[in-house]
Amino acid sequence: MIAAAWIALFAPAAAVVAIAVAGNRISRFYAGVVASGATLVSFICSVIALVSLLGEHPDQRVHSSTLWTWLSAGNLEFGATILVDPLSVFMMLVVSGVGFLILAYAIGYMRADVEERRYHAYKALFVFSMLLLVQSGNLLLLLAGWGMVGLSSYLLINFWHDRETAVAAGKKAFVMNAFGDATFVLALFLLVQHMHTLDMRSIFFVSERIPMTVDGVLESRGVTGTVAVLIALGLLGGAVAKSAQIPLHTWLPDAMEGPTPVSALIHAATMVTAGVYLIARTHVLFELAPAIQDLAAILGGITIVLAGLVALVQTDIKRVIAYSTMSQIGYMFVAVGLGAYGAGLFHLLTHAFFKALLFMAAGIVIHALSDEQDIRRMGGLGRSLPFTYRAFIVGALALAAIPPFAGFFSKDSILASLANAGTLGWILWGGAAFGAFLTALYTFRLLFIVFSGAPTPFASEHLHVKRFDGGLAMAWPVAVLAVLSVVGGWLQVPWGWTAVDDWIHPVAESAEEATGVTFTFSLVASSALALLGIYLAWRWYAQGSRFPEQARRRWPRAARALEHKFYFDEVYDGVFYEPAHRAALATARHVEQPLFLGSIGELSRGVRSLSGRLAQVQTGFVRQYAFALAAGVAVVVVVFLFVS
């Protein structure tokens, strides 16, 4: 099991090295095969680890292994250590399983790109970074994976670096995530100061295998009060930035500048799920600061509603799905923020299925329309792209949480947990239920605009269709994800070990869900709101209603607020970017120019002039050098005689 976990971790890294060393000696196609094949090896090894854990008693499913210790200072030891437990294996399966399907899809999607080798190497690096993050046995190694995930996203978002928008989007993602990384690092400093370790076994387990409780931390570590709040707040800052929750969310829509498989990988299996994993992994520290844990849930609830509203007016097919990701991650934050770890992680699993499906189906549409992403130039594609149309319907129904699709089971599990969490839980339930209505509305708005009605002149002119719409290389991963989006929800039905709550119970005990009348009310109300959203989308966008245009004219300020994404970018530009830009210009004009380019520049020019004149003395004639040497000796002799 431990050997399988190490192989799962290093297989993608080996693919990166192999592609880089081979260079042009490996074809672009085989570079993709190496990257996706390595990810498949990781998935197979993750399954082996899962089977091994299933053969053990639930209380014994925690193992660690240290390859080497690379830093030792006093009582502090940091090594290349992995932790194999139900939570890490769960994430390994999601990252490597869905990641393999996305990388296999990318072979067909990127076939015509001249930089395809570099792309596949970056994708394998992304998978390795995320596996390092979820398998880390200490928080310092987790931080390394955390940073490498940010680096990988930067490399992939601005992969097409000849586009200014892609470069700007990559920098924006990197800078905004760096802010969260800084708060994460500060939290680790406090942990080292007060707990004298970053080893997960020491922090989160009483002994080698027994999970730590809040009381255990209070009694044995003394992390209380302000220190606990600061540690949880620092961890939350990192989670919010990485998972694109308000207020550190503006980088995620811009990340759509990267190739579509990048969007699928970021949104479904890797980067944005890291924040949810971090809160679940460090839940003991968050439970020491209940106010910060509630804050995580509140931020998730706000993101559900605001992202859903903004998605209603987006015209870029990928940005609609991107705002959907922000909203769905909000559901996960609400769940883990209120202690429903199993429900939050189960939604992470099902979301990976249907969100990857939606992005990859959207990628086929973009491919078929010569890289066009504006939904206003689409329409009537259902007949021309029947396979993609059906796959998109499956993804849309799963995202809208319509039974019996996967999203229904996971989202309603979260709502049932909220209904059992007191006053704050019911407030967040209201926001989450309204979010279910918005999700169905904007998802089927997208579906009807793109696939129903008559084709637009642009679509009629530019549409080119292959067998299976986008070709077999892109079709089969989409088909697999469509099946998972249908049946994936049944994993939570309590058939013993298959329930996610039961599986992660030894690591994190989840809050109970509502039952009886409360559960029935939550289920019926949320499903009714989702169906209402689908009905309104059909009336407004499939039947040619003029209500959306009338609403825009009737409430122009609200429409502008949604189109400007509630002005977050404008505020950040005005508060941070513009002042920093003006300060940089002033510094260049009044400090750098006169000091460095003026006085120091003159000094450097004087040195260059002097050295030029000295160089003229070097003629290359031996007789001149002999004459200079003799003259020097004569001067020395005269001076010596004079002094004597």
Side-chain angles (χ1 to χ4, degrees):
M1 174 179 59
I2 294 297
W6 280 114
I7 295 172
L9 174 61
F10 284 116
V16 177
V17 174
I19 295 172
V21 171
N24 292 332
R25 288 171 292 181
I26 186 173
S27 69
R28 291 180 291 179
F29 171 77
Y30 283 110
V33 171
V34 169
S36 59
T39 309
L40 177 60
V41 170
S42 295
F43 177 69
I44 294 172
C45 292
S46 299
V47 173
I48 293 172
L50 170 67
V51 173
S52 299
L53 288 184
L54 288 175
E56 299 179 345
H57 189 275
D59 294 336
Q60 302 297 316
R61 293 173 178 168
V62 178
H63 305 272
S64 64
S65 172
T66 301
L67 199 59
W68 77 88
T69 299
W70 52 270
L71 177 61
S72 179
N75 295 327
L76 285 173
E77 285 192 357
F78 300 113
T81 303
I82 61 172
L83 184 65
V84 182
D85 68 349
L87 180 55
S88 64
V89 170
F90 172 84
M91 291 299 298
M92 288 163 61
L93 290 167
V94 174
V95 173
S96 59
V98 179
F100 162 67
L101 294 173
I102 296 171
L103 266 67
Y105 169 90
I107 296 175
Y109 190 91
M110 299 296 293
R111 183 170 296 167
D113 198 292
V114 295
E115 293 290 338
E116 189 177 349
R117 299 178 188 86
R118 177 167 62 90
Y119 176 81
H120 291 305
Y122 286 170
K123 295 275 278 191
L125 178 64
F126 208 160
V127 174
F128 165 71
S129 302
M130 190 66 190
L131 288 173
L132 178 64
L133 191 157
V134 301
Q135 290 184 242
S136 297
N138 61 70
L139 290 172
L140 186 62
L141 198 60
L142 191 153
L143 178 63
W146 192 268
M148 289 179 64
V149 165
L151 171 63
S152 301
S153 67
Y154 168 78
L155 294 173
L156 284 166
I157 291 169
N158 65 7
F159 173 77
W160 287 320
H161 46 71
D162 55 335
R163 302 180 183 178
E164 292 185 5
T165 53
V167 174
K171 290 189 291 186
K172 185 176 184 179
F174 192 85
V175 170
M176 191 156 287
N177 276 277
F179 179 83
D181 296 349
T183 67
F184 190 2
V185 171
L186 292 175
L188 297 191
F189 285 159
L190 288 173
L191 278 172
V192 170
Q193 181 182 9
H194 292 274
M195 287 186 143
H196 311 295
T197 184
L198 292 179
D199 184 76
M200 290 187 182
R201 293 169 300 176
S202 301
I203 298 174
F204 304 124
F205 293 88
V206 176
S207 64
E208 185 71 19
R209 300 180 188 275
I210 302 176
M212 182 77 76
T213 63
V214 175
D215 292 338
V217 175
L218 290 171
E219 293 173 0
S220 64
R221 299 291 187 269
V223 177
T224 58
T226 304
V227 174
V229 169
L230 291 175
I231 291 174
L233 192 60
L235 295 174
L236 179 61
V240 165
K242 198 68 73 179
S243 293
Q245 297 295 283
I246 286 177
L248 301 177
H249 65 288
T250 58
W251 67 269
L252 189 61
D254 291 355
M256 298 302 97
E257 293 292 337
T260 300
V262 173
S263 305
L265 194 61
I266 291 176
H267 289 247
T270 54
M271 188 165 177
V272 295
T273 64
V276 180
Y277 167 78
L278 179 66
I279 296 177
R281 172 60 77 189
T282 62
H283 68 95
V284 174
L285 298 175
F286 278 92
E287 290 170 3
L288 289 170
I292 304 303
Q293 195 170 21
D294 290 343
L295 177 61
I298 292 169
L299 292 176
I302 294 172
T303 305
I304 290 172
V305 176
L306 295 190
L309 290 171
V310 174
L312 290 174
V313 300
Q314 293 298 302
T315 57
D316 184 306
I317 186 172
K318 288 170 63 176
R319 285 179 182 258
V320 176
I321 306 174
Y323 277 103
S324 166
T325 298
M326 287 171 49
S327 182
Q328 297 307 304
I329 297 294
Y331 280 98
M332 301 174 207
F333 262 66
V334 168
V336 297
L338 293 182
Y341 306 111
L345 290 170
F346 182 48
H347 195 54
L348 185 153
L349 173 66
T350 61
H351 175 262
F353 296 153
F354 59 73
K355 188 51 58 69
L357 170 62
L358 288 171
F359 266 114
M360 290 156 70
I364 294 176
V365 172
I366 294 168
H367 236 260
L369 293 176
S370 304
D371 296 331
E372 179 58 55
Q373 296 181 198
D374 192 335
I375 61 176
R376 293 169 297 186
R377 309 184 77 178
M378 302 177 187
L381 298 180
R383 294 181 180 179
S384 303
L385 302 172
F387 171 79
T388 306
Y389 181 36
R390 295 186 182 96
F392 207 96
I393 290 176
V394 171
L397 290 170
L399 175 57
I402 302 301
F405 295 88
F408 166 76
F409 294 93
S410 57
K411 185 180 290 186
D412 282 279
S413 179
I414 292 174
L415 290 171
S417 298
L418 298 181
N420 203 40
T423 303
L424 178 60
W426 274 110
I427 293 173
L428 294 173
W429 184 94
F434 181 56
F437 164 74
L438 292 175
T439 300
L441 179 57
Y442 66 68
T443 302
F444 279 83
R445 165 187 175 262
L446 178 64
L447 177 72
F448 292 135
I449 290 177
V450 173
F451 293 101
S452 67
T456 63
F458 178 88
S460 300
E461 180 182 352
H462 291 83
L463 183 65
H464 58 277
V465 182
K466 299 179 180 179
R467 189 182 180 188
F468 300 109
D469 297 356
L472 184 60
M474 290 192 284
W476 77 263
V478 171
V480 172
L481 287 168
V483 173
L484 291 173
S485 297
V486 175
V487 304
W490 295 96
L491 291 172
Q492 184 68 347
V493 175
W495 296 335
W497 65 269
T498 52
V500 177
D501 277 333
D502 295 339
W503 175 246
I504 69 164
H505 178 77
V507 179
E509 184 175 354
S510 291
E512 295 183 3
E513 299 179 9
T515 56
V517 176
T518 304
F519 173 79
T520 303
F521 167 77
S522 174
L523 181 68
V524 172
S526 62
S527 298
L529 287 170
L531 291 173
L532 176 62
I534 295 174
Y535 171 74
L536 292 178
W538 176 76
R539 283 289 303 273
W540 294 345
Y541 301 104
Q543 297 298 306
S545 171
R546 299 185 60 83
F547 176 78
E549 292 77 11
Q550 294 171 353
R552 188 184 302 273
R553 289 194 298 268
R554 185 176 301 176
W555 298 290
R557 292 185 179 180
R560 283 196 299 271
L562 295 182
E563 289 167 354
H564 286 269
K565 298 161 285 190
F566 291 104
Y567 300 100
F568 275 97
D569 283 315
E570 287 81 354
V571 170
Y572 289 158
D573 286 345
V575 174
F576 298 107
Y577 174 75
E578 289 298 337
H581 181 62
R582 288 194 294 268
L585 290 177
T587 301
R589 184 179 300 111
H590 301 295
V591 178
E592 186 177 0
Q593 183 68 35
L595 181 60
F596 296 100
L597 300 180
S599 58
I600 296 181
E602 289 294 332
L603 179 61
S604 64
R605 281 191 291 272
V607 172
R608 286 198 301 270
S609 176
L610 179 60
S611 63
R613 293 179 180 179
L614 288 175
Q616 294 175 358
V617 179
Q618 306 296 323
T619 63
F621 293 110
V622 176
R623 60 179 181 271
Q624 292 184 356
Y625 296 157
F627 174 76
L629 180 62
V633 172
V635 170
V636 171
V637 170
V638 170
V639 171
F640 178 76
L641 292 174
F642 178 77
V643 172
S644 300

